[in-house]
Amino acid sequence: MTDFKVISNVIKMSHLDEHVEHKLWKIIDYLHEDSTLGDIYFMLYKEENKMFQPNYGTEPEFMRECENIADNDGAFLGIVESKKDTFISDFVSDNISNVSLNRFFPKAQNVFALPIFNSDRLFGVILGDSSDDLTELEQQLLSLVSAEITGMITNASEFIELNKHIYELSTLYNITKLFKHKEDISTLCDKIVEHTSTLLYASTVFLEIFSPELEDIANKKCAFNKEKNYDLDSDMIEGIIEDVKRTRGPIIIKNALTDPRCEGFAPDFTTALFAPIVYESSVIGVVGLIDKESNLFISDKSFSEDDLRVLMSLSTQLANIIENAIIVREKERLLTEKETQSWELGILYDVSNAMMKTMKLDNLLHKILTAVTVSSGMGFNRAGLFLVNERMNTLQGMLGIGPDSAEDATRIWHELEKEEKSFNQWLSNDTDKKHDGKSKFGEAIKSIRISLDEEEDTVIKAINNRRPVICSNTSECCENSKYLAKLNSEVYAAIPLLAKDKIIGAIFVDNIITKAPITEESLHFLTLFANQAGLAIENSTLYSNLKKTNTELKEMQGKLLHNEKLAALGEMAADVAHEIRNPLMSIGGFSRRLGKRFEDGTKEKEYTNIITKDVSRLEKILNEILSFSKDERVDNFNMNNINDIVNETLIMFDNEFLANNITVKTALMPDLPHAECDYHQVKQVLVNLVNNSCQAMLNGGTLEINTRKSLLRNEESVVIEVSDTGGGVNNDVIHNIFNPFFTTKDGGTGLGLAITHRLIANHSGSIEVDNNPGIGVTFIINLPINERIHKQPTKYRIGGKI
Amino acid sequence: MSKNILVVDDEENIRLLYKEELTEEGYNVTLAESGFEAIDIVKENNIDLVVLDIKMPKIDGIETLRLLKEERRDLPVILCSAYGEYKQDFCTWASDAYIVKTADLTELKTVIKNITTKQGT
Ligand SMILES: Nc1ncnc2c1ncn2[C@@H]1O[C@H](COP(=O)(O)OP(=O)(O)OP(=O)(O)O)[C@@H](O)[C@H]1O
Ligand SMILES: [Mg+2]
Ligand SMILES: [Mg+2]
């Protein structure tokens, strides 16, 4: 064995791409065969129990019988302490101290022990004997082999250790990566359990979550088994989990057979590790590992502190994902809540806007049901509206919208879809009612009368309880209203219509075609809507009452005016004044003339002066008396928002627009500067212009009013444009339109534009006409913002009752 | 060239007063006692300005005003009435001025002067 060939072969073998253990065994076999050496053994050192464990030997028979040897046993103690290769010649005589080695080499004379060290860690020892004395060279050779083996094992263990770390890290990384996935948390838990099992060499990993915040994983239990199925529901495991919950700390069970926690049970595992998942200082789950898998370098079959560290960091991560999930859920819930809320608010806003503008009851009812049925609104298949008839003491069907059959529905919905109208457009349209009322459903609704005394009827019950109900033919809880039977609906809802606290009717909805369920949410929203609708209906009724009262008042007023006595009195006052003024004028006038003919200081002059003065006094008294009796108005210039005046004017014409089918468009500049003007005079201007436009568009058209900021004589001003599509003015007469009394209308006085012109002049403003004969006309009014700057000396101040 | 002024009033005394006072101011004054007469005169003569009463029998001043303006849109008309209330009536806005009758004719004279000097000759 002087050949260096040996060492080169050993080096070659140590670099084989094989399991380190196998390489070691191969080297031992090789040394045994290719040299003069006798049997060779490898004893693996177990630090945990301070024992040498027989691992491999060239004498298998012996290996089988060989027991573990304590590291303080005879020669082995020396090996552990010296950590040096030992060569013993004359082995037999040295028998006392070598008791332990004697067993291996009973007949040997030359024995060697080569400890395999990696820094402080002892992996094991190679023992061998030789019949001949080992030369120095041979000893050196063996030391070299031992060094090579040490290197090989160190490399391998470092590699494994490193790998393990890399693997640990990458597994942790992979687990964290899983967290970021938008996967549902339940599948995530399953994956984590599987990864953890590989990471920590656990034969089973289980996870239990008892967080009530996350419905879908509350009470989730999952486990990943590599080897065998443990009874995870056993009282013992449950007891341990309870302990973890209580102590909020981890539990390590190194040996179940001796562990006090497992006393009285027959544990089906040896070792286990449990860690709590803590979220907001309460334990929301437990993660556990059961039974460690062994391998060459981890022969210890119980979980270590390292494993616990990894498990704890995993449980923190788990707590994080659960927390994230809870937060994400909460966010999503808030978001959808907000979304529905803002959608609901939007609809309610549009609807109430539309409803408030609609004063005619039938138009209003139609709008209400449109909002309930169009797909951009609440999208119910059919809707019906009932109103309380107090006189008859009944609930009376007023209007129903909805298809009669599936074919009908497909056709209508298809048509509607083609029209692509927005919700707002649906609501603002008063004329398009082609899909309502005329259907059989509409007829059926209109024919329904339910006596308010029928307290057992579902609909009456709903309105009496002021609460919506969902009814189905099959449900026993509420009996189907027999009055609604002819509507053939399987499931429907009835929602009471309330105005403040008064019951005014009910809304009926169903989804007879699509069979979509009526959800609590939609019912809730419908109730909100019904409140609005109720108010609008009430308003409309109030409005028509108001209108009635108003006409009555007017009639009364007329009657009063025609009351002869009063009329006579009123006339008398004016007539008396007139009758007195004329003679006073002539008396006073002529006395002045007379006075001019007399010299100053004469008696005649003095007398005429007295007459003149007293006439003036009488005239003054007359003026004062008369000014008491009349409401003399003068200009009232204030800072006004022109947009307000425009809107107020348009409201006055609402019914006219409707009757003449006139579409009104406005583009009123927001933040329009206020202008110094007389509110009533500007309103009168607009009334005159809009009146003319209406009269020019008796067959319908578009009226457009715009306002904007502008300049007039280099000073800030406000422009109001009034355009119509009424055909404009004939070019022959366009120059006359501002003249008083010029009119082309039967019964027109021809004063509208003349007055308009005067009023604008009174504001130092300007008025222009953009006339397009055959198309329409635009009047452009420009009013200075600061009227006083421009105040031109106007000869005629205009006051008056406007 | 002195201006031709037509005075329309149903009361003789008043017509006389106007005539004397306005002639003294240097105007050629023509008199009419009704709206119809006034319209005829305006049609046939070169009248520069009309002083018009409102309360008159047959046709009143407002109707006369309307007919006069139909006849000659540019003809200035000053309404001169014992009715203070008419001052606030829309219809009177069609006139060029409204003056409440009084023994002191200074205001009327000023208004006439303003309008006629603006007309030029
Ligand atoms: N928007 C318009 N489109 C077409 N023609 C118009 C318009 N506005 C005014 N006109 C024409 O100008 C004329 C005068 O209008 P003005 O408002 O002064 O009097 P009127 O409307 O005839 O009577 P009223 O005194 O009742 O207003 C009208 O008769 C009409 O011929
Ligand atoms: Mg008009
Ligand atoms: Mg008179």
Side-chain angles (χ1 to χ4, degrees):
Chain A
M1 136 134 218
T2 50
D3 206 334
F4 276 93
K5 195 181 138 209
V6 175
I7 187 76
S8 91
N9 277 339
V10 167
I11 290 174
K12 267 186 207 151
M13 275 182 244
S14 74
H15 283 88
L16 286 174
D17 188 18
E18 266 181 61
H19 196 282
V20 63
E21 220 166 0
H22 295 161
K23 290 196 279 191
L24 177 65
W25 298 342
K26 269 192 182 161
I27 292 171
I28 289 171
D29 284 341
Y30 169 75
L31 288 176
H32 173 64
E33 281 158 23
D34 267 32
S35 67
T36 54
L37 297 175
D39 284 323
I40 302 173
Y41 304 96
F42 178 65
M43 300 295 284
L44 189 67
Y45 183 62
K46 289 278 159 184
E47 209 168 1
E48 306 84 36
N49 31 23
K50 307 214 171 291
M51 293 273 213
F52 286 95
Q53 191 183 57
N55 178 268
Y56 189 73
T58 47
E59 176 54 58
E61 206 68 24
F62 174 78
M63 280 314 286
R64 238 171 276 132
E65 283 156 28
C66 181
E67 288 170 1
N68 288 354
I69 300 168
D71 64 0
N72 56 3
D73 189 345
F76 285 89
L77 179 65
I79 294 166
V80 174
E81 280 176 353
S82 74
K83 297 183 181 175
K84 280 202 182 108
D85 298 340
T86 318
F87 300 92
I88 308 165
S89 51
D90 205 6
F91 180 66
V92 185
S93 56
D94 197 6
N95 46 11
I96 306 290
S97 59
N98 292 326
V99 166
S100 48
L101 286 178
N102 277 344
R103 267 176 275 165
F104 293 88
F105 314 107
K107 288 171 270 171
Q109 289 181 353
N110 300 300
V111 172
F112 60 90
L114 312 171
I116 310 293
F117 271 99
N118 166 25
S119 52
D120 326 306
R121 193 175 155 196
L122 178 64
F123 281 114
V125 62
I126 294 173
L127 305 171
D129 73 336
S130 148
S131 43
D132 304 322
D133 281 358
L134 291 166
T135 62
E136 197 148 323
L137 197 69
E138 282 171 330
Q139 287 185 12
Q140 275 178 15
L141 201 67
L142 280 173
S143 287
L144 266 176
V145 168
S146 133
E148 181 58 33
I149 292 173
T150 304
M152 179 184 80
I153 291 185
T154 307
N155 276 348
S157 79
E158 264 171 13
F159 180 72
I160 288 171
E161 201 58 31
L162 197 71
N163 254 352
K164 199 184 145 203
H165 267 110
I166 289 173
Y167 187 70
E168 226 172 69
L169 278 174
S170 75
T171 314
L172 270 178
Y173 170 74
N174 282 334
I175 290 176
T176 351
K177 233 168 51 184
L178 288 179
F179 299 166
K180 298 205 176 87
H181 271 278
K182 269 206 124 183
E183 241 166 314
D184 78 291
I185 180 156
S186 180
T187 3
L188 205 59
C189 288
D190 293 334
K191 284 197 179 159
I192 288 166
V193 162
E194 185 185 333
H195 274 80
T196 312
S197 155
T198 350
L199 172 66
L200 295 176
Y201 301 102
S203 60
T204 287
V205 177
F206 82 93
L207 176 70
E208 185 172 348
I209 291 166
F210 19 85
S211 150
E213 278 100 332
L214 288 164
E215 291 150 11
D216 50 345
I217 54 157
N219 304 319
K220 163 144 186 119
K221 251 185 178 177
C222 59
F224 182 77
N225 292 301
K226 262 194 207 151
E227 282 176 359
K228 62 177 189 178
N229 287 315
Y230 298 95
D231 181 10
L232 296 175
D233 295 323
S234 70
D235 291 346
M236 182 180 67
I237 298 250
E238 255 159 35
I240 295 169
I241 288 174
E242 281 310 311
D243 278 357
V244 172
K245 267 203 224 172
R246 205 187 56 245
T247 60
R248 300 214 211 142
I251 288 178
I252 302 186
I253 294 174
K254 298 230 166 173
N255 188 346
L257 291 170
T258 57
D259 197 285
R261 274 174 278 247
C262 308
E263 233 175 68
F265 300 100
D268 50 4
F269 60 89
T270 329
T271 175
L273 197 55
F274 298 86
I277 301 169
V278 182
Y279 169 59
E280 282 184 348
S281 73
S282 63
V283 179
I284 57 165
V286 170
V287 54
L289 309 178
I290 294 174
D291 273 349
K292 185 145 184 163
E293 295 179 310
S294 57
N295 63 23
L296 173 67
F297 295 97
I298 313 162
S299 54
D300 184 4
K301 274 217 156 194
S302 65
F303 290 107
S304 65
E305 298 296 324
D306 274 356
D307 295 328
L308 181 62
R309 188 178 44 80
V310 179
L311 189 66
M312 287 301 277
S313 82
L314 191 79
S315 95
T316 320
Q317 295 272 32
L318 271 168
N320 281 344
I321 44 164
I322 291 169
E323 178 183 353
N324 277 346
I326 291 172
I327 289 169
V328 167
R329 288 289 154 84
E330 186 62 13
K331 252 200 217 149
E332 274 172 0
R333 193 183 60 75
L334 281 178
L335 215 73
T336 41
E337 204 168 82
K338 275 249 178 66
E339 259 171 24
T340 18
Q341 262 178 9
S342 73
W343 176 83
E344 286 180 355
L345 278 180
I347 295 255
L348 277 183
Y349 175 79
D350 288 346
V351 167
S352 65
N353 222 348
M355 288 192 300
M356 286 316 168
K357 281 196 194 139
T358 314
M359 282 308 182
K360 283 192 186 155
L361 188 62
D362 56 340
N363 280 344
L364 181 64
L365 298 186
H366 185 260
K367 275 183 188 173
I368 292 171
L369 293 191
T370 304
V372 177
T373 49
V374 294
S375 59
S376 46
M378 276 162 269
F380 286 100
N381 291 173
R382 305 194 299 180
L385 205 146
F386 298 85
L387 287 184
V388 168
N389 184 332
E390 273 168 12
R391 210 160 33 83
M392 310 285 287
N393 195 39
T394 55
L395 192 64
Q396 184 175 331
M398 300 296 292
L399 185 65
I401 297 186
D404 283 329
S405 63
E407 300 85 65
D408 206 15
T410 333
R411 184 179 51 76
I412 291 175
W413 291 339
H414 188 68
E415 266 174 46
L416 297 185
E417 212 165 277
K418 266 197 302 196
E419 290 186 34
E420 279 185 355
K421 273 196 227 169
S422 75
F423 183 57
N424 246 327
Q425 284 168 315
W426 277 118
L427 291 181
S428 56
N429 202 334
D430 274 328
T431 45
D432 182 48
K433 294 182 194 165
K434 56 185 168 193
H435 301 301
D436 68 297
K438 288 162 210 86
S439 62
K440 280 192 207 115
F441 170 70
E443 292 305 321
I445 287 274
K446 279 185 190 158
S447 70
I448 294 174
R449 303 268 183 287
I450 311 174
S451 162
L452 291 176
D453 297 330
E454 296 245 7
E455 282 169 12
E456 285 311 299
D457 183 273
T458 338
V459 182
I460 301 294
K461 240 193 224 164
I463 63 173
N464 282 341
N465 294 339
R466 285 144 203 267
R467 210 175 283 144
V469 285
I470 299 181
C471 292
S472 67
N473 278 346
T474 47
S475 82
E476 285 163 27
C477 65
C478 59
E479 219 165 278
N480 193 358
S481 166
K482 67 178 178 220
Y483 295 96
L484 299 190
K486 58 176 131 179
L487 302 177
N488 298 324
S489 109
E490 275 165 29
V491 183
Y492 65 87
I495 300 94
L497 265 177
L498 303 175
K500 310 227 170 68
D501 274 332
K502 209 172 107 198
I503 298 167
I504 59 167
I507 292 179
F508 161 96
V509 292
D510 74 358
N511 287 326
I512 192 167
I513 310 289
T514 59
K515 309 260 187 261
I518 300 173
T519 61
E520 279 297 323
E521 290 83 50
S522 64
L523 210 58
H524 170 76
F525 179 54
L526 206 54
T527 312
L528 273 181
F529 169 78
N531 287 341
Q532 290 268 354
L535 271 181
I537 292 174
E538 185 75 354
N539 271 350
S540 153
T541 329
L542 282 181
Y543 176 78
S544 63
N545 284 346
L546 203 73
K547 242 173 131 179
K548 227 173 84 193
T549 325
N550 212 358
T551 19
E552 277 170 12
L553 256 174
K554 263 194 189 148
E555 275 169 24
M556 286 271 285
Q557 212 175 25
K559 273 182 202 150
L560 274 176
L561 272 180
H562 281 101
N563 184 313
E564 274 169 284
K565 243 188 193 167
L566 279 178
L569 257 175
E571 253 165 48
M572 213 170 69
D575 280 344
V576 167
H578 186 260
E579 291 313 313
I580 294 172
R581 253 194 195 131
N582 268 329
L584 277 183
M585 181 182 179
S586 104
I587 297 169
F590 284 109
S591 80
R592 273 165 206 260
R593 290 201 59 69
L594 205 57
K596 281 187 206 162
R597 298 178 174 242
F598 300 120
E599 298 280 310
D600 280 352
T602 58
K603 279 280 168 199
E604 290 82 346
K605 179 80 173 181
E606 195 185 322
Y607 298 156
T608 51
N609 272 354
I610 289 170
I611 298 170
T612 306
K613 259 198 240 153
D614 274 359
V615 167
S616 298
R617 197 152 67 92
L618 279 174
E619 282 183 335
K620 242 180 101 194
I621 292 168
L622 197 65
N623 282 343
E624 271 164 21
I625 293 170
L626 283 172
S627 72
F628 260 116
S629 67
K630 69 185 177 217
D631 170 18
E632 196 158 2
R633 278 206 220 149
V634 287
D635 295 349
N636 186 6
F637 280 82
N638 282 312
M639 297 310 284
N640 287 307
N641 184 346
I642 299 290
N643 288 344
D644 288 349
I645 306 181
V646 170
N647 283 326
E648 202 171 292
T649 307
L650 289 176
I651 289 171
M652 290 172 55
F653 286 89
D654 252 0
N655 283 334
E656 217 135 338
F657 294 146
L658 209 69
N660 292 356
N661 207 2
I662 292 170
T663 313
V664 181
K665 285 188 194 160
T666 53
L668 307 180
M669 183 187 187
D671 307 321
L672 190 71
H674 286 205
E676 191 177 26
C677 62
D678 184 313
Y679 193 93
H680 294 279
Q681 290 181 16
V682 174
K683 192 168 164 188
Q684 183 64 49
V685 165
L686 289 170
V687 165
N688 289 348
L689 294 180
V690 173
N691 218 348
N692 283 346
S693 291
C694 282
Q695 287 162 357
M697 298 191 289
L698 294 175
N699 296 319
T702 305
L703 175 77
E704 208 173 324
I705 302 194
N706 304 329
T707 57
R708 64 185 139 86
K709 223 165 84 173
S710 182
L711 288 179
L712 182 65
R713 293 182 292 269
N714 287 327
E715 298 283 348
E716 268 195 288
S717 70
V718 170
V719 164
I720 316 168
E721 282 185 5
V722 181
S723 313
D724 62 46
T725 58
V729 189
N730 193 325
N731 266 338
D732 300 344
V733 296
I734 184 75
H735 298 292
N736 297 332
I737 60 170
F738 286 107
N739 288 326
F741 306 117
F742 174 79
T743 181
T744 56
K745 299 166 191 169
D746 287 342
T749 55
L751 282 172
L753 286 179
I755 290 168
T756 300
H757 188 244
R758 286 290 169 101
L759 291 175
I760 298 298
N762 194 34
H763 282 79
S764 314
S766 74
I767 182 161
E768 274 174 50
V769 192
D770 182 7
N771 183 41
N772 294 298
I775 299 167
V777 64
T778 303
F779 285 87
I780 304 146
I781 294 164
N782 203 338
L783 293 176
I785 283 178
N786 197 334
E787 191 262 349
R788 260 179 282 243
I789 292 183
H790 300 272
K791 195 78 207 165
Q792 313 244 310
T794 33
K795 280 175 291 173
Y796 318 108
R797 290 287 302 191
I798 297 164
K801 297 171 188 145
I802 301 176
Chain B
M1 258 280 283
S2 55
K3 297 282 176 183
N4 296 317
I5 294 182
L6 171 65
V7 172
V8 192
D9 201 302
D10 57 335
E11 274 192 45
E12 202 183 344
N13 292 341
I14 305 290
R15 286 203 299 274
L16 182 64
L17 181 64
Y18 279 137
K19 172 140 185 148
E20 292 211 28
E21 288 281 320
L22 293 180
T23 311
E24 215 170 79
E25 294 295 312
Y27 299 109
N28 291 326
V29 182
T30 315
L31 300 175
E33 58 169 289
S34 78
F36 293 131
E37 198 187 333
I39 289 156
D40 288 341
I41 293 172
V42 165
K43 273 184 188 159
E44 266 136 48
N45 299 274
N46 186 19
I47 299 293
D48 295 307
L49 186 144
V50 180
V51 173
L52 184 60
D53 184 26
I54 289 182
K55 174 87 190 273
M56 294 184 292
K58 292 184 226 163
I59 61 164
D60 68 8
I62 299 294
E63 187 61 24
T64 308
L65 170 67
R66 188 183 139 93
L67 295 173
L68 284 175
K69 288 277 180 181
E70 242 170 46
E71 188 59 40
R72 265 186 58 194
R73 196 156 293 122
D74 60 316
L75 178 64
V77 177
I78 298 171
L79 285 172
C80 229
S81 169
Y83 286 110
E85 296 88 331
Y86 268 112
K87 207 171 177 171
Q88 276 77 46
D89 199 302
F90 278 157
C91 302
T92 63
W93 295 359
S95 73
D96 298 83
Y98 189 101
I99 288 166
V100 178
K101 278 183 181 173
T102 162
D104 185 355
L105 295 185
T106 328
E107 191 192 357
L108 176 69
K109 287 174 192 164
T110 321
V111 170
I112 291 175
K113 203 170 167 202
N114 282 341
I115 294 176
T116 49
T117 39
K118 241 195 184 171
Q119 280 176 330
T121 39

